[in-house]
Amino acid sequence: DTGVSQNPRHKITKRGQNVTFRCDPISEHNRLYWYRQTLGQGPEFLTYFQNEAQLEKSRLLSDRFSAERPKGSFSTLEIQRTEQGDSAMYLCASSLVGQGALSYGYTFGSGTRLTVV
Amino acid sequence: GQSLEQPSEVTAVEGAIVQINCTYQTSGFYGLSWYQQHDGGAPTFLSYNALDGLEETGRFSSFLSRSDSYGYLLLQELQMKDSASYFCAVRHTGGGNKLTFGTGTQLKVEL
């Protein structure tokens, strides 16, 4: 397994356009998370899935944001009508529910850097 | 609400020991994690403490005091490659393994 994979690595888009990012988690991990990180800040929680069910969404996630995880495998995060404030690194992470401290650690992907111009 | 405080920057010399502190305020605390992030890279999981005390993993150790809402990451025998940002993160009660991250501490290791 090559870890968590995110595509694309970079995305430049014009304000008002829609963008979609993809995340492929570690195959045996049943939880998948989306976070957003801006320069000099820690990652901020957006949403998470257990298998295919989206169990929690942050209040940060406006109606313009939607995430899916069909069949409990890969996930997509779509941002509609992008705004300059959406410019950030979008990080995906996965984890495995289980016993022991190691099971509480996330494995992050390298992220998709979004620039809205 | 949730808040975590960490120093913004720490500088130390190669071979030294450095401690990065984290204090937190949260309504539902389950445990404290630490992540390392190099510039342009993904955050990497270092450690997790749910109980009071010290957890050691190689050159890195992490400590938690639940009564003081305080933890720290201890890095020993510093190497140049340890220059990175370090984030503490609170794991919340209520399931989901959701994390709230601090703003990070930039560690610079000098010769």
Side-chain angles (χ1 to χ4, degrees):
Chain A
D1 199 329
T2 56
V4 177
S5 175
Q6 290 189 247
N7 288 289
R9 290 295 307 276
H10 303 274
K11 178 72 177 177
I12 300 174
T13 191
K14 290 184 178 178
R15 192 174 49 177
Q17 297 293 305
N18 298 345
V19 294
T20 300
F21 312 140
R22 176 177 169 126
C23 171
D24 288 90
I26 292 174
S27 55
E28 57 267 28
H29 284 184
N30 51 4
R31 286 200 175 139
L32 185 148
Y33 308 81
W34 285 99
Y35 280 75
R36 181 171 66 187
Q37 187 177 26
T38 53
L39 200 61
Q41 300 296 314
E44 291 178 296
F45 172 78
L46 294 178
T47 188
Y48 92 93
F49 294 82
Q50 178 149 328
N51 300 315
E52 66 274 11
Q54 186 175 18
L55 296 185
E56 188 172 346
K57 290 171 59 171
S58 165
R59 282 169 289 180
L60 292 174
L61 218 62
S62 76
D63 291 345
R64 297 184 298 105
F65 288 71
S66 62
E68 294 183 342
R69 193 183 182 198
K71 302 176 185 177
S73 56
F74 72 93
S75 176
T76 58
L77 178 68
E78 181 183 18
I79 310 174
Q80 296 183 325
R81 303 181 304 280
T82 52
E83 302 172 357
Q84 286 189 320
D86 297 332
S87 295
M89 176 74 84
Y90 289 83
L91 293 164
C92 175
S94 66
S95 73
L96 180 64
V97 180
Q99 298 299 315
L102 286 179
S103 70
Y104 299 122
Y106 290 179
T107 301
F108 277 93
S110 297
T112 295
R113 182 168 295 286
L114 173 66
T115 303
V116 182
V117 297
Chain B
Q2 331 283 348
S3 71
L4 293 92
E5 287 193 18
Q6 307 177 231
S8 57
E9 276 188 22
V10 172
T11 302
V13 296
E14 200 174 27
I17 299 172
V18 72
Q19 179 174 310
I20 299 174
N21 298 321
C22 173
T23 56
Y24 58 86
Q25 287 186 317
T26 181
S27 53
F29 177 84
Y30 206 100
L32 190 70
S33 296
W34 288 91
Y35 285 78
Q36 177 193 61
Q37 187 177 30
H38 287 97
D39 280 349
T44 304
F45 174 68
L46 294 176
S47 67
Y48 174 72
N49 296 67
L51 303 176
D52 286 357
L54 191 68
E55 296 277 346
E56 297 183 58
T57 311
R59 294 188 297 115
F60 294 1
S61 303
S62 58
F63 172 83
L64 176 65
S65 168
R66 296 175 69 105
S67 59
D68 295 324
S69 298
Y70 163 75
Y72 65 73
L73 181 69
L74 190 73
L75 297 86
Q76 302 182 70
E77 300 170 18
L78 279 175
Q79 301 175 9
M80 297 296 290
K81 68 178 182 181
D82 297 329
S83 294
S85 292
Y86 292 84
F87 295 91
C88 59
V90 164
R91 182 188 175 210
H92 299 280
T93 56
N97 195 17
K98 184 178 79 173
L99 299 178
T100 297
F101 285 80
T103 52
T105 299
Q106 177 90 34
L107 171 65
K108 293 182 184 178
V109 180
E110 299 175 335
L111 289 170

